Amino acid sequence: MERITLSEAKFDVPCKIAGYVEKIRNTKYMVFVILKDRTGRVQVSFDKGNTPELCDEVLKATPGSVISVWGELKESPYVKQGGKEFIPTRVKVESVADQLPVDDNSFIDQKIDYRWVDMRTDRNTLIFKVQTLLVNSFREWLLQRDFMEIHTPKLIGTASESGADVFELKYFDRKAYLAQSPQFYKQMAMAAGFDRIFECGPVFRAEKSYSNKHTTEFTGFDIEFSYIDSMYDVMKLEEEMLTYALSKVKEKYGEEIKELFGKEVIVPTCPFPVMELKDVYAELEKRYGLVYPDSVKGDLVTEAERKCEDLAKDMFGSEFLFIIGYDAKERAFYHMRDEKGVPLGYDLIWRGCEITTGAQREHRVDILKAQAEEKGLADDVKFYMEFFKYGVPPHGGFGLGVDRLTMLLLGITIKEAMFIFRGPQRLNP
């Protein structure tokens, strides 16, 4: 008999179920087991008088053990587990668990040491159900618009983008690096005439940062598309995609998220508000008394970024805020610039945290080369320059951090939002 999930079990129909033992209660006449799988829980009731051999077998199990049970689901108004119980005819202990090393009260780093045990809770399982739906919704929305999914190399021969914060490794008889992003290869796809592509995959950053939002490896969702007129085309695509995905999450998991995380899934309305960086700083000073020196105003400092949560709500009634008008020295060399030298790019802030950097890219090879030389990267990006010698359409794109997006949606830490966290001091499990 093939095992079914607890949600698939029907009343009075013989079946086989299996899962983790959450609790065992041994009474004078009965043994009660709360069995859990990814779809829910059920009470399995063993009668010592009628099935003593089954009771002997199941009492070999401990909390955390895996058992398989054959029998039928019955209605039982006296049972707290949804008014139903499972009456067994056979049981098998598949795996006996040692005493569980972590519980809800353990510190997060101890939980990560035993991540596979920690993730068995309803709360932690929901994190990854939500993340799955988010990513699938992005894919669904993009595929409906004729995007292609590509998979780019993560082992590269030269340090990408900035030349800094990369992991170097030995590659046979020479050096190699772990990719900071798929940016260069996304643009190669534009040069190949693919027009519309996306990728979901690992991204590596050799940053010794211990903030709540930084990791050394994370999952990025990247998009690039051609024949755009401006960066506003990129912004429009992103806001529509995010709105679609969040509506899907709210529809399927909104109530569970509210119950287990105490967070409301708010579906935004388009268009998202847009502000110039200089205006952001002016409003932060006027509204909240936050004053910053001119020397830092070419970029958005961390404290100002956090306060943008209040600014977006107070000024626009929105959780999202596009910020444009960054200083060229703070942006990548491949961002197109206007006639005043201002990069045609943006950051998207959600709930006081940057989730995206996007831009219209510079596709004219002479200007691109000059901007790379300006940042001292001419030698590092020679292979990248080759893409632009044979015709490239105007294009742009952005990258989203899937883990950071999950973190902000559920109001948790980045360590919780990742299946396995990687940071400067964390390389296991």
Side-chain angles (χ1 to χ4, degrees):
M1 185 180 290
E2 185 177 346
R3 175 247 182 177
I4 63 171
T5 64
L6 298 182
S7 65
E8 294 172 313
K10 308 296 183 186
F11 289 119
D12 304 317
V13 177
C15 62
K16 174 189 175 183
I17 59 175
Y20 288 93
V21 172
E22 191 167 76
K23 294 178 183 176
I24 300 177
R25 187 159 61 94
N26 186 7
T27 70
K28 184 175 181 180
Y29 300 108
M30 301 286 294
V31 177
F32 299 104
V33 172
I34 304 300
L35 188 67
K36 177 183 183 298
D37 71 6
R38 61 183 171 80
T39 66
R41 292 172 176 74
V42 71
Q43 176 177 293
V44 185
S45 303
F46 295 84
D47 190 316
K48 290 184 175 180
N50 294 328
T51 55
E53 71 286 355
L54 299 188
C55 295
D56 290 342
E57 176 67 13
V58 80
L59 284 173
K60 297 176 184 176
T62 57
S65 297
V66 177
I67 65 172
S68 295
V69 189
W70 291 256
E72 294 183 8
L73 188 66
K74 300 289 185 181
E75 290 188 84
S76 179
Y78 304 105
V79 177
K80 294 180 181 178
Q81 294 290 332
K84 55 189 178 183
E85 65 180 338
F86 197 85
I87 304 301
T89 57
R90 178 186 167 195
V91 63
K92 180 183 178 183
V93 178
E94 306 283 3
S95 173
V96 178
D98 289 347
Q99 182 174 343
L100 298 180
V102 291
D103 57 28
D104 290 344
N105 299 315
S106 301
F107 293 111
I108 182 62
D109 286 314
Q110 186 181 6
K111 288 181 178 182
I112 295 174
D113 288 339
Y114 297 94
R115 188 64 165 145
W116 60 97
V117 175
D118 179 47
M119 286 190 288
R120 292 178 186 175
T121 65
D122 291 348
R123 184 178 184 275
N124 287 344
T125 300
L126 182 59
I127 292 172
F128 298 98
K129 288 181 178 179
V130 169
Q131 194 172 93
T132 298
L133 182 56
L134 266 177
V135 172
N136 187 63
S137 298
F138 292 157
R139 277 197 174 95
E140 185 177 75
W141 193 89
L142 292 165
L143 291 172
Q144 289 170 1
R145 285 153 182 82
D146 203 30
F147 277 73
M148 288 191 291
E149 183 169 7
I150 64 172
H151 303 283
T152 62
K154 304 311 166 198
L155 284 170
I156 57 176
T158 58
S160 59
E161 297 200 36
S162 66
D165 297 329
V166 294
F167 287 109
E168 181 183 303
L169 54 96
K170 187 176 184 294
Y171 191 75
F172 301 109
D173 60 346
R174 59 193 184 276
K175 290 180 181 179
Y177 306 89
L178 294 177
Q180 286 176 293
S181 85
Q183 184 59 45
F184 291 172
Y185 294 105
K186 289 195 302 175
Q187 292 184 261
M188 178 192 282
M190 299 303 98
F194 283 14
D195 283 12
R196 297 177 158 225
I197 63 92
F198 67 92
E199 175 174 16
C200 186
V203 178
F204 301 91
R205 299 282 167 86
E207 297 177 291
K208 283 191 176 181
S209 176
Y210 300 91
S211 77
N212 181 51
K213 64 182 183 180
H214 286 97
T215 66
T216 53
E217 179 184 355
F218 62 91
T219 301
F221 198 101
D222 281 81
I223 290 168
E224 204 78 16
F225 61 113
S226 291
Y227 301 104
I228 67 171
D229 293 321
S230 74
M231 66 178 175
Y232 293 101
D233 294 336
V234 182
M235 295 157 71
K236 183 174 186 293
L237 185 143
E238 181 172 12
E239 67 191 8
E240 290 178 354
M241 185 187 77
L242 281 167
T243 298
Y244 177 83
L246 288 172
S247 69
K248 290 290 187 180
V249 170
K250 185 177 182 68
E251 178 185 343
K252 187 166 185 178
Y253 295 121
E255 291 304 314
E256 286 183 72
I257 291 171
K258 189 185 299 183
E259 178 185 347
L260 295 177
F261 294 93
K263 298 289 287 187
E264 184 80 32
V265 179
I266 298 174
V267 179
T269 55
C270 295
F272 295 176
V274 183
M275 289 186 72
E276 291 272 353
L277 181 60
K278 61 181 176 59
D279 296 331
V280 169
Y281 277 114
E283 288 293 337
L284 290 176
E285 182 174 350
K286 183 174 79 173
R287 291 171 178 267
Y288 313 113
L290 296 176
V291 181
Y292 300 94
D294 290 341
S295 60
V296 305
K297 290 184 178 179
D299 200 2
L300 189 64
V301 299
T302 300
E303 184 187 14
E305 181 182 305
R306 292 195 192 103
K307 199 62 180 175
C308 281
E309 178 175 15
D310 293 332
L311 184 65
K313 289 178 181 177
D314 293 344
M315 289 189 69
F316 308 105
S318 174
E319 290 194 328
F320 290 88
L321 179 64
F322 282 121
I323 300 179
I324 61 175
Y326 287 84
D327 194 298
K329 72 175 186 291
E330 305 294 345
R331 302 280 101 170
F333 76 92
Y334 50 79
H335 286 200
M336 184 180 282
R337 302 174 188 175
D338 66 15
E339 63 280 358
K340 297 180 181 178
V342 178
L344 298 176
Y346 66 88
D347 279 352
L348 178 58
I349 312 299
W350 184 37
R351 294 181 173 176
C353 184
E354 177 257 308
I355 59 169
T356 296
T357 294
Q360 179 169 3
R361 317 302 187 190
E362 182 53 73
H363 63 282
R364 298 161 295 184
V365 67
D366 53 338
I367 298 174
L368 189 61
K369 183 179 179 181
Q371 291 181 181
E373 289 173 348
E374 172 192 298
K375 291 185 178 283
L377 295 172
D379 291 337
D380 292 330
V381 297
K382 282 181 179 178
F383 86 99
Y384 168 74
M385 290 299 174
E386 291 292 315
F387 308 160
F388 298 87
K389 289 182 178 180
Y390 309 103
V392 181
H395 62 279
F398 60 88
L400 274 168
V402 172
D403 312 288
R404 190 177 292 186
L405 201 65
T406 307
M407 173 188 82
L408 295 168
L409 176 62
L410 301 178
I412 57 180
T413 68
I414 195 68
K415 291 181 177 180
E416 293 176 281
M418 302 183 73
F419 184 75
I420 300 290
F421 171 74
R422 285 290 177 261
Q425 295 180 324
R426 171 68 67 173
L427 201 55
N428 286 301

